[in-house]
Amino acid sequence: MSRNLSPAPDQRLADQAYSRIVEIILDGLGIGDRLPSESRLAESFGMSRTVVREALVRLAADGITEARRGAGSYVMRRPSLRLGAHMAFDELSATLGTYEVRFALESEAARLAARRRSPEQMAEIESAMADLRKALLSSDPAHDEDWRLHRAIFRATANPAFEKAFEHLHEETMRIMRAGVDIARLREAEPIAAMVREHETIVQAIRAQDADGSALAMRWHLSEGRKRLMP
């Protein structure tokens, strides 16, 4: 599959370096392979080592590489080429970067929803879960249903600022939700079943008003979702 890796004119240098390292990985490195050295990458890209170092830190945070003291950086996961159907690879750094925000934002939202949800809000969450389950277990796209469930959880925090913050991430989050379901459906049924279980665990914890359990379930779901983008 062809992929667009040409950097946008206003793209940060570190994001450009991130995209070019992803290109190196996709063009021939396997899991466990060592990346070229920081200095070699900097020379190849015509960038400073500081810029390349920032890109490598982000790649490690996104679970794509691992830095080993004194030994360089190694490939841990390869982004699915199917991601190219949903986003340009030069947008991968910014899009995956939203996970760090979502870990903090959505975990706390789930925690607050468990403590504060009203019976009506719980019913909205349950209805959204039923719609998502039906969509995931069919051939429907499911990203709209996924968004509605997460948004219902934000509404149950009784704090409109949480929902506004989530809406700000709409574009990047919808890209991820579309890609996640698409990539999962290219594999056996287990990834889809896992997505259903993860969401159901979150809903069950909110229903039980288990604040810590809700936060942990949400963080686990997001962590697993990021992994599914790099099978």
Side-chain angles (χ1 to χ4, degrees), residues 117-180:
R117 54 86 177 162
S118 66
E120 293 77 17
Q121 288 165 337
M122 191 66 234
E124 181 184 5
I125 292 171
E126 297 274 11
S127 176
M129 180 67 239
D131 289 344
L132 177 59
R133 184 188 303 109
K134 180 180 178 180
L136 285 173
L137 297 178
S138 70
S139 59
D140 294 338
H143 54 273
D144 286 332
E145 291 81 1
D146 199 355
W147 174 265
R148 285 198 291 271
L149 173 57
H150 284 256
R151 187 177 59 190
I153 292 170
F154 275 96
R155 286 178 176 167
T157 66
N159 183 341
F162 270 95
E163 187 175 357
K164 287 180 182 177
F166 188 52
E167 291 285 351
H168 185 69
L169 299 174
H170 180 268
E171 183 177 351
E172 291 84 359
T173 300
M174 287 296 275
R175 281 181 193 157
I176 289 169
M177 288 177 170
R178 287 190 187 97

Side-chain angles (χ1 to χ4, degrees), residues 62-144:
D62 290 338
I64 297 175
T65 65
E66 178 184 72
R68 300 177 187 173
R69 185 177 293 277
S73 293
Y74 291 77
V75 179
M76 299 301 292
R77 293 186 180 88
R78 286 168 50 90
S80 171
L81 286 174
R82 188 61 184 167
L83 279 171
H86 301 276
M87 68 192 78
F89 272 85
D90 57 29
E91 298 172 344
L92 189 61
S93 174
T95 300
L96 290 183
T98 62
Y99 268 107
E100 293 184 345
V101 179
R102 293 180 68 194
F103 284 144
L105 188 67
E106 295 204 54
S107 296
E108 187 59 22
R111 184 192 306 278
L112 292 176
R115 290 174 176 165
R116 300 175 178 175
R117 54 86 177 162
S118 66
E120 293 77 17
Q121 288 165 337
M122 191 66 234
E124 181 184 5
I125 292 171
E126 297 274 11
S127 176
M129 180 67 239
D131 289 344
L132 177 59
R133 184 188 303 109
K134 180 180 178 180
L136 285 173
L137 297 178
S138 70
S139 59
D140 294 338
H143 54 273
D144 286 332

Side-chain angles (χ1 to χ4, degrees), residues 3 5 22-29 78:
R3 44 184 196 274
L5 284 157
V22 168
E23 183 176 14
I24 289 170
I25 293 171
L26 294 177
D27 280 346
L29 295 184
R78 286 168 50 90

